[in-house]
Amino acid sequence: MNSAQGESLYFCHIPKTAGTSVRYLLESVVEEDQTYPLSADIRHPRGYPLFGDFVGGFVALPTKPRLVRGHYHLSCGRLLGENAKSLVIFRDPVARVVSELKVLVGLQGFGQDRLRRSMDSGIVPNLDNLQTRMVRGDIDVAEPNGLSDRHHLLITEPIGDETRALEEAMAAVSSCGFYGTVEGLGPLMTDVLDYLGAPRTQVPRENTAEPIDLGLTAVDLELIAERNALDARLYEEVRKQERARLALSEASRT
């Protein structure tokens, strides 16, 4: 499979990390016929194709696209080849989970009463430490057999040794090309746009809908933080490296 002209990028879109805004920006600077999946095949909410359909469609493409994005594991970036780079963005895990719960209640019919009962039972109705899950390990895209099942297992299986998982996550993130946090999104996307040879522009706002008050208590937020403690460690490490890069960039301009 030949590549489309220009640099290629895989955007590992972790849900509720300003990813839709980033997706819109990337789509505005890359021609539609050089993106995968096509914008028309991404439907809100969380409308990326199922993983099996995603891989099957990619393999059938006559040329490799310049931009691939989706709620898929970071290692899927290898579909674009060794020279392509990947982008992944992280967010404070409590804020990310609260935002995800708002989608669950507001758009997916879960219901606030059901959420309240779940939280009162000590259950947060989402996958814990999702940010770590989406970047640690390797799906091995070179082996097509059982690829969809391996992807599902890699995202959902018990994490096990958290220290090892964090080391794997940071090793993968540090070598992917572009990574940062929602707080450092502006400078990060400037680097991404420069890589793509696109004009620099601001990231558009993602959500304009009325906010949903979930009625979460301090105890609820503590529970969310406890269940996502590994994500907090990953987020802080990424944030520390991001601050160091920004400081170095500032120093080079003075």
Side-chain angles (χ1 to χ4, degrees):
M1 182 188 296
N2 297 321
S3 299
Q5 186 176 4
E7 302 292 355
S8 298
L9 180 74
Y10 168 61
F11 174 34
C12 172
H13 181 176
I14 299 175
K16 310 316 296 179
T17 57
T20 301
S21 295
V22 170
R23 175 169 71 84
Y24 289 158
L25 175 58
L26 294 173
E27 289 171 353
S28 74
V29 299
V30 177
E31 295 294 331
E32 171 75 0
D33 61 359
Q34 295 181 8
T35 68
Y36 181 78
L38 296 176
S39 300
D41 295 329
I42 303 174
R43 306 185 188 283
H44 191 73
R46 300 195 181 186
Y48 291 107
L50 297 176
F51 186 73
D53 296 334
F54 162 76
V55 174
F58 184 90
V59 172
L61 294 173
T63 60
K64 287 183 180 179
R66 291 191 63 206
L67 173 64
V68 174
R69 61 268 192 256
H71 294 321
Y72 315 118
H73 194 269
L74 179 62
S75 61
C76 291
R78 293 190 181 140
L79 287 167
L80 285 171
E82 295 182 357
N83 295 326
K85 293 188 177 182
S86 295
L87 164 67
V88 61
I89 300 163
F90 299 91
R91 185 180 180 185
D92 172 82
V94 174
R96 195 203 70 78
V97 170
V98 170
S99 186
E100 192 169 41
L101 293 178
K102 290 180 179 180
V103 172
L104 186 68
V105 169
L107 296 176
Q108 297 180 358
F110 192 82
Q112 283 192 262
D113 291 341
R114 186 178 174 189
L115 175 63
R116 182 71 271 150
R117 291 194 300 271
S118 179
M119 298 299 295
D120 287 345
S121 299
I123 300 172
V124 183
N126 76 329
L127 196 60
D128 65 277
N129 295 303
L130 179 63
Q131 297 179 95
T132 304
R133 292 174 179 276
M134 289 191 66
V135 299
R136 58 114 193 196
D138 189 339
I139 194 175
D140 188 12
V141 294
E143 173 50 60
N145 294 328
L147 191 57
S148 187
D149 289 340
R150 292 203 310 277
H151 183 268
H152 177 75
L153 185 63
L154 188 58
I155 299 294
T156 62
E157 67 181 349
I159 288 177
D161 186 329
E162 292 194 352
T163 298
R164 179 179 177 183
L166 181 61
E167 291 173 351
E168 289 181 352
M170 281 309 305
V173 168
S174 298
S175 62
C176 76
F178 301 102
Y179 65 96
T181 69
V182 171
E183 289 80 3
L185 195 57
L188 175 63
M189 293 310 299
T190 294
D191 290 343
V192 171
L193 292 172
D194 287 349
Y195 165 74
L196 292 172
R200 296 179 178 182
T201 185
Q202 293 184 340
V203 179
R205 288 191 61 185
E206 176 181 355
N207 295 320
T208 57
E210 289 295 320
I212 299 174
D213 182 6
L214 297 178
L216 296 176
T217 67
V219 173
D220 295 332
L221 297 177
E222 289 176 6
L223 176 62
I224 292 172
E226 179 182 331
R227 292 188 72 249
N228 294 275
L230 183 55
D231 268 7
R233 293 168 64 188
L234 175 62
Y235 168 79
E236 288 301 331
E237 181 61 32
V238 171
R239 186 72 176 129
K240 181 173 71 174
Q241 293 192 17
E242 183 176 63
R243 291 192 186 103
R245 290 199 308 267
L246 291 173
L248 186 62
S249 178
E250 289 290 334
S252 67
R253 291 198 294 267
T254 59

